[in-house]
Amino acid sequence: MKTLHNAHHALHQGREEMFRGRMVPCHEVPARLDFVLTELQRRPLGALEAPALDDAELDAAIARVHSARYTAFLAGAWDEWVAMDPANALRDALPSVWPLGNRHAFRTDVLPQNFAARLGLFSFDSGSPLMAGTWAAARGGAACALAAVREVLGGARSAFALTRPPGHHAGPDFFGGYCFLNNAAIAAQALRDGGKQRVAVLDVDYHHGNGTQTIFYERADVLTVSIHGDPATEYPFFLGHADERGAGAGEGFNLNLPLPRGTNFTTWRAALGQALDAMAAFNADALVVPMGLDTFEGDPISGFTLRSNDYFAVGEALAGAGLPTVFTFEGGYAVDAVGTNAVNLLEGFERAA
């Protein structure tokens, strides 16, 4: 299994985030990727490479998933932030005002000139700081996802996009949950564009992949499945319920499997079985796995109780689907354990595949 790693990821290194009403040090840190990379060097599964892609090709792949006005905002956000006040160069940008979703409450079709208003327009939380290197790091992550797809379309059984910031909370025109570009969605769309007719996205992160669901919610060619903490009590709260089944042409092609805080591996594994059954019924010919490791019992912001050895079994089960598979690195904030857990999952997949 080739790993495509993001050489620019450390350019995105937030100082603080707003977490449950107070400013705290960021949970999403560069060491997350570094620990995985170190473990892959200790237990190699294949080549480790930084992707080399043409800028135009990368921009086109991003544009297949994200709106032009959103990516234009991300590309120029830092310069605008500093232009407001030179002192801003020493602090990250965090939103402080948002339009409500009700169409009679606030308008979102008119793009405000005020930077703070646009920062809120394109975000859904105050926990995702934006800094000088955010856009370069996010684009580097999209490049990893696209390069991983190239490997699979070229005949590889699997490939791993090892990148941060993560992606699965980012929607067509919004960021949040530490995510700016949706690497899993970019991979799924690239697989479709590369000739795969029916692509499944199986999100195993503790938190619901709300961005991915939003992107594909009205489509029948991409099945989105997410196993996650119940949004009644868990972030992102406002999406991820079991009755969200898709809309229009996509009705029946979205499956949410919310589980209560404290869920153990036996119960979680049963939900994975449901997800794999749904994929089989869909007759998918390719798979994208947003690979969150925050289901681990030691994760500081999550609530499931999987242990390190359980991830071998997760990988084995995913391999049992028999599909060409792209993994994208998502959550996992027990930083010291994230490398072991990630490589355990990938090693389990490789053994079974």
Side-chain angles (χ1 to χ4, degrees), residues 67-352:
S67 75
R69 74 174 192 168
Y70 172 63
T71 54
F73 169 77
L74 288 180
W78 181 254
D79 289 342
E80 289 194 69
W81 172 243
V82 175
M84 287 176 62
D85 181 351
N88 282 348
L90 300 177
R91 52 180 175 260
D92 299 338
L94 281 172
S96 58
V97 59
W98 295 268
L100 293 174
N102 188 306
R103 62 192 177 94
H104 298 302
F106 290 96
R107 291 185 64 176
T108 59
D109 60 317
V110 179
L111 194 63
Q113 294 183 24
N114 181 278
F115 174 79
R118 278 181 285 119
L119 185 63
L121 175 64
F122 292 122
S123 67
F124 69 89
D125 69 19
S126 56
S128 305
L130 187 151
M131 63 223 59
T134 297
W135 178 237
R139 283 186 89 255
C144 290
L146 193 56
V149 168
R150 277 185 171 181
E151 292 296 317
V152 167
L153 291 176
R157 177 69 167 81
S158 60
F160 178 34
L162 175 56
T163 184
R164 53 166 300 280
H168 73 148
H169 292 304
D173 56 1
F174 58 80
F175 69 87
Y178 314 138
C179 303
F180 297 88
L181 294 177
N182 194 312
N183 303 312
I186 289 167
Q189 184 61 55
L191 286 166
R192 284 288 294 112
D193 293 340
K196 298 298 183 183
Q197 296 301 306
R198 298 168 72 83
V199 177
V201 180
L202 173 50
D203 193 323
V204 297
D205 192 280
Y206 179 78
H207 303 97
H208 175 249
N210 61 295
T212 315
Q213 172 173 308
T214 301
I215 289 164
F216 296 116
Y217 202 63
E218 297 186 8
R219 288 174 52 173
D221 58 333
V222 178
L223 173 71
T224 46
V225 184
S226 182
I227 308 168
H228 53 269
D230 189 336
T233 60
E234 308 305 312
Y235 184 92
F237 304 114
F238 305 111
L239 212 61
H241 297 277
D243 63 352
E244 297 158 13
R245 299 285 297 157
E251 186 171 354
F253 295 95
N254 187 81
L255 175 62
N256 287 327
L257 299 167
L259 298 170
R261 177 173 279 266
T263 291
N264 62 24
F265 181 57
T266 299
T267 302
W268 191 95
R269 178 66 179 84
L272 179 59
Q274 288 181 257
L276 293 170
D277 288 345
M279 284 169 41
F282 176 66
N283 196 28
D285 54 7
L287 173 62
V288 178
V289 179
M291 193 181 83
L293 289 310
D294 45 4
T295 50
F296 179 59
E297 63 180 353
D299 197 273
I301 61 172
S302 304
F304 291 163
T305 61
L306 276 66
R307 299 179 177 180
S308 291
N309 281 342
D310 294 331
Y311 292 102
F312 288 112
V314 175
E316 291 168 3
L318 292 170
L323 297 172
T325 302
V326 171
F327 294 91
T328 61
F329 185 54
E330 303 290 347
Y333 307 101
V335 177
D336 292 350
V338 73
T340 297
N341 296 340
V343 179
N344 284 1
L345 191 155
L346 298 173
E347 188 175 303
F349 183 94
E350 287 283 87
R351 288 176 183 174

Side-chain angles (χ1 to χ4, degrees), residues 14-19 22-29 178:
R15 296 172 174 87
E16 292 183 300
E17 64 179 88
M18 177 70 76
F19 184 76
R22 59 193 176 94
M23 297 301 294
V24 301
C26 286
H27 291 98
E28 205 289 297
V29 294
Y178 314 138

